[in-house]
Amino acid sequence: MEKVKKEKKKVNKKMVLIILGIIVGVIALLTIVNIIANKAAVNKAKGIATSYEKVEIENQLVPEKDTNGYWTFTTDRELKILQFTDVHIAGGWASAKTDKMALQAVATMIIAEKPDLVVVTGDLVYPTPLSLTINNKAPAEIFASLMETLGVYWVPVFGNHDSEVYNLYTREKIAEYYGSSDLKYCLFQSGDENIYGYGNSVINVRNTDGVITQSLYLIDSNAYPENSFFGLTGGYDNVHEDQIEWYKNTYEKLNAQNK
């Protein structure tokens, strides 16, 4: 009788191991399929992004860095700015339809308006487990492909969803990408490394007499508090005190240059 019980225990243990093996194998297979499908979706989205022609802007303004190190447009006319927010490109196969619609909407407005500058104020990307991708660099590359193809100057400002805790790339790495020399039309600057956040910078507009007529302050609104548990506790973060001080000091410095 005891021998029969031992044999049953061995059989049950073997069955458990087989079932666990099957489950692990299925998860591994689905993961591989998902990675391949997401890669294909990103390539397809980039194909859509690069299918447009360059926007022809009459007397297009070309910004240059001033003595402060900030990008500066020189013009005696008004600077035409087109602002987007919460574009929420995910960059996965599950979001392919909405990503395509977002890209087409952005491109259509830029082509129609022919702005001097496009500013994306937060949450340009938003890959989540629900969209079956956590790669936050892929959608950034998709959007950059669109803007570089259209040939319009642009700058992203970080919001809370641009780098989730579970994303593959940190805010710093995404900032490095936006600031790379490979992106001809992107005016992103990481900003002072001693100031909280990434992308705290200024874009100035000067007239032909050298007077600053307009300053755009780009400030990282940050993601979640440092003590947040995967973004589930503590709510959203906010602009920090040192960022506010940076703004005040920069304003005073630039204002003094006009006197």
Side-chain angles (χ1 to χ4, degrees), residues 3-15:
K3 185 176 181 182
V4 174
K5 287 183 179 179
K6 287 181 179 179
E7 287 180 351
K8 283 185 177 180
K9 286 182 179 179
K10 288 182 179 179
V11 173
N12 290 338
K13 187 175 181 180
K14 184 180 290 185
M15 284 298 297

Side-chain angles (χ1 to χ4, degrees), residues 70-109:
Y70 297 129
W71 286 110
T72 302
F73 288 89
T74 301
T75 180
D76 290 324
R77 64 170 174 80
E78 291 185 350
L79 189 75
K80 188 173 185 178
I81 300 173
L82 183 58
Q83 178 190 3
F84 295 103
T85 190
D86 296 295
V87 183
H88 280 195
I89 296 176
W93 66 268
S95 63
K97 183 178 179 180
T98 54
D99 287 349
K100 179 180 179 181
M101 292 171 65
L103 289 170
Q104 290 175 333
V106 169
T108 299
M109 285 186 272

